Amino acid sequence: MTPSVPFNPPAANLPGKPSVPEWVPPPVTQQKENFAELTSIDLSLLDSDDPAVVDRLVQQVKRAIREDGFLFLENYGVSLEQLHRQFALAQYMYSNISEEDKERLLFDPETGKWSGYKHPYGFKKQRGVPDGIEQFNWYNREWQNLDRIPKCLHPFMDEIEAFCNYLTNSVNRRLLTLFSRVLELPDDYLWNNVQSYGSPTGEGYFRHALFRPVQKQTEEASKGLRMHGHTDFGLTTLLFSVPISCLQIWGQDEQWYYVPYKPGALVINIGDTLEIVSGGHFKATRHRVFKPPVDQLQSERLSLVLFNSSVGDLRMAPAKESPLIQREGCVEDQGVYSEFKRRTSEGKLVPTNAQWREIQIATATDPTDTVHNRVGVHQVIINGKLMHQREYMGVKVVLPV
Ligand SMILES: O=C(O)CCC(=O)C(=O)O
Ligand SMILES: [Fe+2]
């Protein structure tokens, strides 16, 4: 492995760049209950000359992805100051984006992509019930055409692009090396065979999200949910740990837990593709976005996320070459993997990666949607627990609400 180089973005004070107010992290919650304990991985240890250190790291990752499906990543090459600059740019965008750009760059989820600007009225192009969530999503077409980016961000695209390139080509690539090693495969197995790359985000996307506090009617309709319980579609999602606690993960004891704030850390979330390729040895992280503890209910929450997608034309199956899978077999009780396996054994095709992500985006529903979010429509009760149930191209997805 070539040793990793730290992130070195273009300067913030280059000529022509307006000054951007700092991002000041809001206060953390005083609530201590209902927080998960996550393993933290020191990515810089992958560069160690001592094979025993690297081996311990791989074992630590193996345990964490089997048991939690979520991990913190630290020492991945981006400093806290560099990270706060990226949050400052997101904050600047939401203070300066024009109404004209919001209209012109409006997203159209029916295309199967979130690409562009999401208005704070639900996850359909047509405005629905207010959900207080704004997003800007960079896909390939945004990277390729400055005209697809809010004008206020034009002077800073060098920094945003450099950040995404670093996250994709350095952080995610090293992470996939670790995961390939857990599967006892060559270092670049997942990168070369499954991960899409080429533009700063390959077939995936980068997001600036802003969650504003919601009105009473919205909170009542959604029962405090901001985003349904779900798993992400691709290989990995890199989320930045933020002070406003809304992100929750589903624990082994079948309860939701908030993800704690660890300044500067990345929260790594395993997507469906990794679950399938690993034959269920990795489990796709079940997570949701919920209202924060009471002392943060009035705070705005910025969230930066990079979604790393798999190659769209592939249909996923377990990596048969993996000595781990050859030795231990597949883990059949896993969600999406077991459904893909069932379909394959019935002689049917599973969706391609692109079909899998696009159908879910195109048909996403809102937590405020009281028509669909009922038992008998998109909800079922299983063993006394309320679950959200959908079917996409013959593949059933059952997730905790
Ligand atoms: O903002 C977050 O913390 C998580 C968002 C999320 O899970 C998603 O967009 O898939
Ligand atoms: Fe997610």
Side-chain angles (χ1 to χ4, degrees):
M1 283 263 316
T2 41
S4 45
V5 178
F7 180 45
N8 183 21
N13 60 0
L14 291 179
K17 287 195 187 184
S19 105
V20 173
E22 251 180 66
W23 178 68
V24 181
V28 295
T29 175
Q30 295 303 305
Q31 182 176 312
K32 300 276 178 280
E33 306 81 49
N34 297 334
F35 277 82
E37 277 180 37
L38 300 178
T39 304
S40 186
I41 303 295
D42 179 344
L43 191 58
S44 70
L45 295 179
L46 190 59
D47 289 339
S48 170
D49 295 332
D50 182 351
V53 169
V54 180
D55 194 51
R56 263 203 307 279
L57 178 70
V58 174
Q59 293 312 319
Q60 192 190 21
V61 171
K62 183 173 180 176
R63 194 209 55 75
I65 46 185
R66 279 187 175 188
E67 290 172 18
D68 308 330
F70 240 15
L71 22 111
F72 277 130
L73 200 69
E74 293 184 281
N75 295 325
Y76 51 88
V78 178
S79 70
L80 193 61
E81 193 193 343
Q82 290 168 333
L83 186 57
H84 285 190
R85 168 72 178 168
Q86 296 290 329
F87 275 80
L89 293 175
Q91 175 177 263
Y92 180 87
M93 198 263 283
Y94 287 111
S95 314
N96 292 285
I97 182 171
S98 65
E99 292 306 314
E100 189 204 333
D101 275 357
K102 289 182 183 175
E103 194 53 48
R104 191 174 64 84
L105 305 172
L106 187 63
F107 74 163
D108 186 2
E110 277 178 35
T111 58
K113 292 193 172 85
W114 299 121
S115 168
Y117 171 75
K118 176 196 175 296
H119 58 53
Y121 302 93
F123 285 92
K124 300 277 177 217
K125 184 172 182 179
Q126 207 69 31
R127 288 183 177 202
V129 177
D131 66 357
I133 308 173
E134 282 180 86
Q135 299 176 345
F136 191 80
N137 295 292
W138 280 259
Y139 280 78
N140 238 331
R141 75 166 182 174
E142 281 75 26
W143 298 120
Q144 280 169 5
N145 183 358
L146 200 59
D147 215 35
R148 306 281 337 157
I149 311 281
K151 285 206 176 59
C152 61
L153 278 186
H154 287 190
F156 310 105
M157 279 310 297
D158 57 345
E159 290 174 74
I160 294 172
E161 188 160 348
F163 184 58
C164 290
N165 273 321
Y166 187 80
L167 292 176
T168 305
N169 298 316
S170 179
V171 182
N172 190 47
R173 187 164 179 173
R174 282 182 283 155
L175 193 59
L176 293 181
T177 296
L178 272 176
F179 292 168
S180 296
R181 287 193 191 177
V182 171
L183 294 171
E184 302 165 29
L185 288 163
D187 282 358
D188 268 339
Y189 181 88
L190 291 169
W191 176 261
N192 284 341
N193 297 291
V194 191
Q195 174 66 45
S196 69
Y197 47 86
S199 81
T201 52
E203 294 180 44
Y205 52 106
F206 176 59
R207 167 179 299 166
H208 282 172
L210 176 63
F211 294 75
R212 295 186 207 267
V214 291
Q215 302 288 318
K216 206 158 181 276
Q217 299 93 301
T218 295
E219 186 184 331
E220 279 171 6
S222 69
K223 302 192 175 76
L225 256 191
R226 306 296 303 264
M227 281 172 92
H228 286 299
H230 66 280
T231 54
D232 293 348
F233 325 120
L235 286 147
T236 60
T237 303
L238 314 187
L239 292 137
F240 293 91
S241 180
V242 291
I244 305 300
S245 299
C246 288
L247 179 62
Q248 294 189 323
I249 60 168
W250 187 243
Q252 279 185 318
D253 61 353
E254 310 211 317
Q255 305 282 342
W256 289 109
Y257 291 96
Y258 286 115
V259 173
Y261 177 45
K262 202 183 233 316
L266 264 171
V267 181
I268 306 299
N269 156 357
I270 309 276
D272 294 335
T273 300
L274 260 185
E275 178 173 312
I276 300 161
V277 172
S278 71
H281 283 272
F282 300 178
K283 50 181 183 180
T285 318
R286 286 176 279 189
H287 59 287
R288 69 176 187 179
V289 184
F290 195 64
K291 64 179 176 186
V294 269
D295 56 356
Q296 294 188 323
L297 274 175
Q298 298 313 319
S299 305
E300 290 189 351
R301 173 179 189 264
L302 267 186
S303 176
L304 269 53
V305 194
L306 180 84
F307 297 87
N308 292 298
S309 291
S310 36
V311 175
D313 292 341
L314 294 178
R315 293 178 206 274
M316 297 326 296
K320 286 193 285 301
E321 310 89 310
S322 158
L324 175 75
I325 294 177
Q326 286 170 5
R327 210 171 49 244
E328 297 184 12
C330 292
V331 182
E332 306 277 322
D333 64 342
Q334 295 290 336
V336 182
Y337 165 62
S338 65
E339 275 290 299
F340 268 51
K341 167 126 204 267
R342 182 184 57 74
R343 240 186 119 68
T344 309
S345 64
E346 287 169 358
K348 295 182 182 142
L349 278 181
V350 295
T352 64
N353 291 330
Q355 287 170 333
W356 184 241
R357 56 191 182 236
E358 287 174 4
I359 186 110
Q360 295 191 58
I361 291 173
T363 63
T365 57
D366 291 299
T368 53
D369 180 342
T370 48
V371 175
H372 291 100
N373 297 329
R374 303 170 181 267
V375 176
V377 191
H378 287 174
Q379 293 181 342
V380 282
I381 305 219
I382 300 177
N383 300 329
K385 276 218 147 56
L386 186 65
M387 308 293 277
H388 193 91
Q389 179 173 299
R390 301 289 305 271
E391 195 173 304
Y392 308 101
M393 304 179 73
V395 181
K396 209 198 272 178
V397 177
V398 186
L399 290 158
V401 171

